[in-house]
Amino acid sequence: MSVANVRLDQSGPFSRAGAALMRPRRVALAACVLIAGWLVFVPLAALLYTGFTEDTGFGPGPWSLKNFVEAYSGWHVARLFGNSIIFASGTALVTLLMGGLVAWVVERTDAPGGSVFHALSLLSFAIPGLLTAMAWIFVLSPNIGWVNALIKSAFGLEQAPFAVARPCARTEDSSAR
């Protein structure tokens, strides 16, 4: 009896149902789900673990809420909140004006390229917020922002008028730690 003539048991893992589960497409999907789960849950677990433990210099110490108290009780939180409100309001206003204008032109006129604008309108959902923040930093940074460079050269200014990437100033009590 040769190996080619051996019949596999129809009720085992190599039956039709078992073979359907082992299709390359399903194996690739399972591998992608496992990789995505690893890339999400391992950093999240590390963040939660280190967020609720004290840093002793020799590794994580006892469990505490000291990190959260230190992070959210400083004076800079109000300034960060204000910056976030200004950024969100400005973004909403500019988006409303530009989006409303483009929507009106595409829907109410016979402007060429209307289908391109329909497709581009969905692009904002594909761009992550981190990438948008980095783009604003590159545009309005005091050192490398091209808008600041244009305004400084046009008006002969010494300092950049916009500073979205300005580091927070350290106070005496935070530098003594």
Side-chain angles (χ1 to χ4, degrees):
M1 177 188 225
S2 69
V3 177
N5 291 335
V6 175
R7 284 190 63 191
L8 298 174
D9 185 14
Q10 294 297 324
S11 63
F14 295 107
S15 66
R16 288 186 187 183
L21 289 175
M22 295 304 290
R23 288 189 179 144
R25 189 178 337 165
R26 292 184 185 220
V27 171
L29 177 64
C32 288
V33 167
L34 287 173
I35 290 170
W38 178 266
L39 292 175
V40 169
F41 291 116
V42 169
L44 183 63
L47 176 72
L48 289 174
Y49 181 72
T50 57
F52 287 103
T53 57
E54 291 183 29
D55 186 18
T56 62
F58 298 107
W63 293 87
S64 97
L65 295 174
K66 181 181 176 184
N67 295 334
F68 294 98
V69 171
E70 187 176 329
Y72 296 113
S73 65
W75 58 269
H76 63 279
V77 174
R79 187 171 141 223
L80 294 175
F81 183 71
N83 287 344
S84 297
I85 294 294
I86 291 169
F87 176 76
S89 302
T91 301
L93 181 66
V94 170
T95 302
L96 179 68
L97 293 174
M98 289 175 58
L101 179 66
V102 169
W104 181 79
V105 168
V106 168
E107 292 297 324
R108 299 290 181 189
T109 66
D110 292 333
S115 61
V116 172
F117 282 107
H118 278 286
L120 287 177
S121 65
L122 298 175
L123 187 62
S124 65
F125 295 114
I127 299 173
L130 179 64
L131 189 60
T132 305
M134 288 173 53
W136 277 110
I137 288 171
F138 286 139
V139 169
L140 295 175
S141 172
N143 298 329
I144 60 172
W146 60 269
V147 169
N148 281 327
L150 285 174
I151 292 174
K152 280 175 27 179
S153 66
F155 296 108
L157 299 175
E158 292 293 322
Q159 284 188 321
F162 302 108
V164 296
R166 181 182 303 151
C168 293
R170 294 179 62 106
T171 60
E172 289 300 319
D173 62 330
S174 66
S175 61
R177 289 183 192 163

